[in-house]
Amino acid sequence: MVITIDGAAGVGKSSTAKELAKRLGYQYFDTGAMYRAVTFYFLAENVDLESNNQVTKSLDSIKLHIDFSFDKEMRIFLDDEDISLKIRSQEVTSTVSIVSAIKEVRDKMVKIQRSFAENGNFVVEGRDIGTVVFPDAEHKFFLQADYDVRAKRRLADFEKINEAKNINEIKKDLEKRDKYDSTRKLSPLKIPNNATIVDTTFCSFDDQVNQILKHIEKMNER
Ligand code: DC
């Protein structure tokens, strides 16, 4: 079974999806990490993102490995290196929207995402999970929050990896990424059909998780 959680950056998707997965005994699946890992690889290999040929070749040679065995955490490896933290850098963050708008990249990632979810129960978070990857999922959620709250959450994320950032800079970056992610031609960020919208601006973390859990319980009773 798949539960989908879509939404923009900083709306609380990751923490919510992780907690939901923990409480339900499901596996947490962060699809943004996959687009970040591809971006990390393209940057390391100096791939020209405008060159279809280079992008395709690189996608053929990339050795990505996703590991779900770390106590319900999802870790992502490039060759044998755990890059789960490195993919959170500013350099990757500011390039990932461009990489995730490339058709060949999306095709490959979506295929991998679907193949994983065939075997088990997953809470999958991303931008196109309820619209494109698993449109028939039983439980679909769309999270949203206002820009100030989102920027504060992102600032805390950067502090975790010791990157000093300015809150206004983060806000601008969020606005730019939102515009890019929701207006791109392929799989733009939008509310999936039949999804439940959860606004996390004024919600405590526990409230937002409980709200979703209650909704799932109610739907399952039907
Ligand atoms: O959730 P995140 O910030 O780690 O996602 C990184 C980028 O990946 C984000 O800018 C949009 C893209 N993404 C996507 O296009 N589709 C997904 N399913 C997940 C993320």
Side-chain angles (χ1 to χ4, degrees):
M1 163 126 114
V2 166
I3 295 170
T4 71
I5 312 263
D6 287 300
V11 294
K13 281 192 314 286
S14 304
S15 47
T16 307
K18 268 185 201 166
E19 183 61 21
L20 264 184
K22 203 166 128 194
R23 296 218 209 155
L24 294 166
Y26 282 24
Q27 183 60 59
Y28 163 65
F29 193 168
D30 172 11
T31 60
M34 297 173 69
Y35 291 97
R36 285 174 177 273
V38 172
T39 305
F40 179 86
Y41 182 65
F42 283 1
L43 286 168
E45 298 284 303
N46 271 319
V47 172
D48 175 359
L49 302 177
E50 308 260 302
S51 158
N52 213 282
N53 197 19
Q54 282 192 34
V55 165
T56 312
K57 260 197 192 151
S58 264
L59 276 176
D60 283 342
S61 62
I62 191 170
K63 291 204 174 63
L64 269 192
H65 172 67
I66 297 170
D67 198 319
F68 290 114
S69 64
F70 292 89
D71 194 26
K72 295 275 170 205
E73 277 281 321
M74 169 181 148
R75 296 218 190 147
I76 196 150
F77 290 76
L78 183 59
D79 297 316
D80 287 327
E81 188 192 355
D82 184 347
I83 56 164
S84 311
L85 274 184
K86 286 188 177 168
I87 58 171
R88 306 285 154 199
S89 71
Q90 179 57 41
E91 198 191 9
V92 170
T93 301
S94 52
T95 314
V96 64
S97 278
I98 301 168
V99 172
S100 59
I102 301 173
K103 183 179 185 312
E104 289 74 10
V105 173
R106 299 207 73 82
D107 287 349
K108 183 159 179 160
M109 297 306 111
V110 170
K111 221 187 237 174
I112 299 173
Q113 288 154 19
R114 288 186 180 141
S115 72
F116 269 116
E118 276 170 12
N119 309 302
N121 294 319
F122 288 86
V123 179
V124 191
E125 70 143 296
R127 303 291 193 289
D128 62 339
I129 308 305
T131 51
V132 173
V133 188
F134 301 111
D136 299 326
E138 216 167 312
H139 301 294
K140 304 201 272 189
F141 296 92
F142 188 84
L143 269 53
Q144 55 192 29
D146 80 19
Y147 274 112
D148 286 328
V149 167
R150 292 171 56 198
K152 274 189 203 147
R153 289 178 184 155
R154 275 281 133 154
L155 185 67
D157 287 344
F158 281 118
E159 279 166 1
K160 270 186 225 152
I161 57 166
N162 293 322
E163 269 197 36
K165 295 294 295 181
N166 169 293
I167 190 115
N168 291 325
E169 222 177 286
I170 295 180
K171 223 167 129 179
K172 261 196 220 141
D173 183 54
L174 283 175
E175 282 165 356
K176 195 169 125 201
R177 267 215 293 157
D178 277 4
K179 189 160 177 231
Y180 202 97
D181 291 342
S182 53
T183 56
R184 71 182 177 207
K185 257 211 237 135
L186 292 167
S187 311
L189 171 67
K190 61 177 183 192
I191 302 172
N193 284 339
N194 305 321
T196 302
I197 299 172
V198 181
D199 193 309
T200 68
T201 308
F202 302 109
C203 265
S204 74
F205 177 62
D206 273 346
D207 283 348
Q208 74 202 37
V209 174
N210 287 333
Q211 202 177 319
I212 293 175
L213 277 172
K214 261 193 202 142
H215 193 86
I216 293 173
E217 272 167 28
K218 226 161 93 197
M219 297 259 295
N220 286 346
E221 280 165 12
R222 281 188 195 165

